[in-house]
Amino acid sequence: MTTPLNERRIANAIRVLAMDAVQQANSGHPGAPMGMADIADVVWREFLNHNPTNPQWANRDRFVLSNGHGSMLQYALLHLTGYDLSIEDLKQFRQLHSKTPGHPELGYAPGIETTTGPLGQGIANAVGFALAEKTLAAQFNKDGLNVVDHFTYCFLGDGCLMEGISHEACSLAGTLGLGKLVVYYDDNGISIDGEVEGWFSDDTEQRFNAYGWQVLRVDGHDADAIRQATVEAKAESNKPTIIICKTIIGLGSPNKQGKEDCHGAPLGKDEIALTREALGWKEDAFVIPEDVYAAWDAKAKGQTSEAAWNELFAQYQAKYPTEATELLRRINGDLPADFAAKADAFIAETNAKAETIATRKASQNTLQAFGPLLPELLGGSADLAGSNLTLWKGCQGVQENPAGNYVYYGVREFGMTAIANGVALHGGFVPYVATFLMFMEYARNAVRMSALMKQRVIHVYTHDSIGLGEDGPTHQPIEQIASLRGTPNLNTWRPCDTVEAAVSWKSALERKDGPTALIFSRQNLPFQARNEAQIQNVAKGGYVLAEEKGELKAIIIATGSEVSLAMEAYAQLEGVRVVSMPCAEEFMKQDAAYREAVLPAHIRARVAVEAAHVDYWWKFVGLDGKVIGMTTYGESAPAKDLFQFFGITTEAVVAAVKELTA
């Protein structure tokens, strides 16, 4: 090792803060921060272009700690370099309402770019950051005025590489040639269960060579080697780079370094005392000498970097005022000022056409109308574009044109969704991604992370029920809609026709505080006639589609393809109203007076009908009501036969209403 002692002392500040915070919390992972401290020292002090006084500076480099259990590494770095994260905040590590939760969480501490709890999703987010940077740069940079020009640095560990999502994301990153993605692999050979060679014997170098990455190997405790490798990584513009850093977990701990003992538990007071002695660190817990703080402080450097970029952007603004205004709009996440009016005009036009088509086709028609209005759309599908109908005439693949607006993700549902989260977090784009509803299950945890981080990601799911027919139970979703509806912060829309499909897209695009799932049918669905007031009420998530004839005695609630069954039943009944509820989450956000007007509390005779799991609907119909839907998995047969076999029919709805009102 050639690391000078003074540089090692600078890195040791991370080690002592990590072990002290974990010890005080009596919970956490000191090993990774202690093992990666030398890598972090080089990357953060010499290469990372950031401004601690303005964590949201648009052209900052992005840093992702994919092995998020080592969160004290990132918290120590943020504190030392000058972010608004005090030593008192570090002392509150893992405590209620602190800025320093157990894993990095978006929105808690400044400088945290993404929530990295589930292993592997951080590296996928990093791929999304790098994809967004490359595409945004291709769309806006001109004549040497590179106003979008930054790197994405990612730290990861064995766990991230063992998770299958890392294959999906890293494979695509190589294919897309994301040259500004630099990954540091903490190759310490240890996980919770011990030495990983018994269950993780991959040749990581060959694996990433096969992906088309540049692969470098270094001693992770040799600052000169890390520095040189980072220079090489940044010089390679056509390939992402992984730097395999051989490290010792818990470096500095005389009795626990190199062992699983320091992976996920405090070192203990006695071992911390020995570690301080071994490191030559004389200061008490949470005390950092002023000369070490001075060596870490990045505020002046960051302000200088941002000022230089501001000057560059001013030149860009003077030469390309239209593009500059557009870039700022997109970075701020604002839709064009005329979007709402134009979207409403399209919805009115759609209503006038009264088409009977599949809602997946209605979705594509909406994209065709909205796409030219929204250059920030960055679409994609998991090898199902022709089935999801996510392509519109203005789509260009980023593989062929870096300034394009569509990503062919391949069969990578999980990776696709987590990458889209990274794209949304980066800013400048509204990503939408698509697959069959059944295969939301592959992406489930990334959908959860969209919701947890409240990101504007649009999840498009087609082939929404047993209505897809012959492919059978492996492809027929049953419990998936209930799972989505049970996810906090997620809006789930299941429209019944062209108008509801268009409104669902408008709602998803205008929503800035969370993701949306749009669920569309494979089969054609009949158009439902509406007046102007009803069209306006679609956006409220639930509304009266058909008024009762005579005194109100019963309510039928339906979504998607089953709205037509409800309307057929309505034609045979008296005193019944039909409520279409394409988005229950939006309906529940309405004021009590509106909800009561749609679903009067005194009407106990309620029937819900949906070709999905019945359990979700009991809260709307009550224990006195009835739910017509699925309680088993599907079968392979034509759709018409399946609806008859499972009893999701007009006759069943009529019978249920009559029984409740007898």
Side-chain angles (χ1 to χ4, degrees), residues 362-414:
S363 167
Q364 186 180 48
N365 291 346
T366 304
L367 277 170
Q368 186 59 56
F370 291 177
L373 309 176
L374 300 170
E376 57 263 54
L377 281 179
L378 186 62
S381 176
D383 201 45
L384 288 169
S387 293
N388 298 146
L389 302 186
T390 44
L391 285 168
W392 53 281
K393 291 179 183 178
C395 283
Q396 287 187 302
V398 298
Q399 286 89 334
E400 296 79 30
N401 177 9
N405 59 359
Y406 196 85
V407 184
Y408 292 90
Y409 282 101
V411 187
R412 299 181 177 98
E413 294 88 357
F414 193 6

Side-chain angles (χ1 to χ4, degrees), residues 289-301:
E290 288 304 317
D291 62 327
V292 176
Y293 269 130
W296 275 106
D297 193 344
K299 293 192 294 294
K301 181 181 176 183

Side-chain angles (χ1 to χ4, degrees), residues 128-258:
F129 282 124
L131 169 61
E133 190 277 341
K134 181 176 181 178
T135 305
L136 201 64
Q139 291 178 358
F140 282 96
N141 290 350
K142 294 178 182 293
D143 304 330
L145 295 172
N146 295 334
V147 291
V148 181
D149 184 14
H150 62 80
F151 282 81
T152 299
Y153 297 98
C154 179
F155 288 4
L156 55 72
D158 295 305
C160 297
L161 293 181
M162 283 187 265
E163 291 286 0
I165 189 175
S166 69
H167 163 68
E168 295 183 28
C170 294
S171 168
L172 185 61
T175 299
L176 295 177
L178 301 180
K180 288 187 175 178
L181 174 61
V182 183
V183 175
Y184 299 80
Y185 165 33
D186 181 26
D187 183 16
N188 61 37
I190 297 293
S191 66
I192 291 175
D193 283 349
E195 297 181 6
V196 301
E197 61 186 14
W199 49 87
F200 184 53
S201 58
D202 301 16
D203 188 324
T204 300
E205 182 173 356
Q206 289 194 40
R207 172 184 169 183
F208 277 81
N209 274 323
Y211 290 155
W213 287 49
Q214 175 178 228
V215 183
L216 306 172
R217 282 186 177 272
V218 299
D219 176 346
H221 303 297
D222 185 333
D224 289 338
I226 298 163
R227 187 176 296 114
Q228 180 57 40
T230 304
V231 170
E232 288 184 48
K234 295 186 69 172
E236 174 53 76
S237 60
N238 297 316
K239 297 179 179 181
T241 297
I242 185 169
I243 303 172
I244 301 173
C245 304
K246 193 62 183 174
T247 61
I248 300 171
I249 191 171
L251 182 69
S253 170
N255 298 303
K256 295 189 176 183
Q257 69 176 24

Side-chain angles (χ1 to χ4, degrees), residues 482-506:
S483 175
L484 291 168
R485 288 183 180 134
T487 303
N489 303 330
L490 177 68
N491 276 5
T492 300
W493 287 80
R494 186 174 182 243
C496 75
D497 67 358
T498 55
V499 170
E500 287 190 358
V503 173
S504 71
W505 264 108
K506 180 173 183 278

Side-chain angles (χ1 to χ4, degrees), residues 461-656:
Y461 300 122
T462 67
H463 296 60
D464 68 341
S465 72
I466 57 172
L468 68 91
E470 291 86 347
D471 277 342
T474 61
H475 281 53
Q476 292 166 7
I478 304 299
E479 71 276 25
Q480 285 66 41
I481 299 176
S483 175
L484 291 168
R485 288 183 180 134
T487 303
N489 303 330
L490 177 68
N491 276 5
T492 300
W493 287 80
R494 186 174 182 243
C496 75
D497 67 358
T498 55
V499 170
E500 287 190 358
V503 173
S504 71
W505 264 108
K506 180 173 183 278
S507 175
L509 289 162
E510 291 181 336
R511 186 175 186 228
K512 296 179 71 172
D513 63 349
T516 302
L518 302 180
I519 300 175
F520 299 121
S521 72
R522 177 195 186 189
Q523 72 273 31
N524 290 343
L525 303 184
F527 174 79
Q528 303 296 335
R530 296 173 188 81
N531 59 36
E532 183 62 33
Q534 288 172 315
I535 294 173
Q536 294 300 316
N537 285 338
V538 173
K540 296 178 180 178
Y543 64 101
V544 179
L545 177 61
E547 293 279 0
E548 59 274 11
K549 293 168 280 189
E551 181 187 354
L552 179 60
K553 298 177 182 178
I555 300 172
I556 305 171
I557 307 170
T559 79
S561 51
E562 288 66 66
V563 169
S564 62
L565 298 183
M567 291 300 291
E568 290 169 4
Y570 170 80
Q572 302 177 34
L573 295 164
E574 297 289 336
V576 174
R577 73 168 48 165
V578 174
V579 171
S580 177
M581 194 172 291
C583 183
E585 296 84 7
E586 278 298 325
F587 179 72
M588 294 306 296
K589 293 174 187 175
Q590 306 307 311
D591 60 52
Y594 178 79
R595 297 198 308 269
E596 172 65 18
V598 175
L599 297 175
H602 70 280
I603 302 299
R604 309 290 292 175
R606 300 184 183 187
V607 176
V609 53
E610 184 176 60
H613 203 289
V614 300
D615 277 2
Y616 177 80
W617 290 104
W618 293 111
K619 69 179 182 180
F620 285 103
V621 302
L623 296 180
D624 298 330
K626 288 187 174 294
V627 182
I628 297 170
M630 299 294 295
T631 57
T632 68
Y633 293 113
E635 296 286 346
S636 179
K640 183 178 179 181
D641 296 342
L642 291 173
F643 277 95
Q644 190 68 39
F645 176 76
F646 288 109
I648 305 173
T649 64
T650 302
E651 293 77 15
V653 177
V654 170

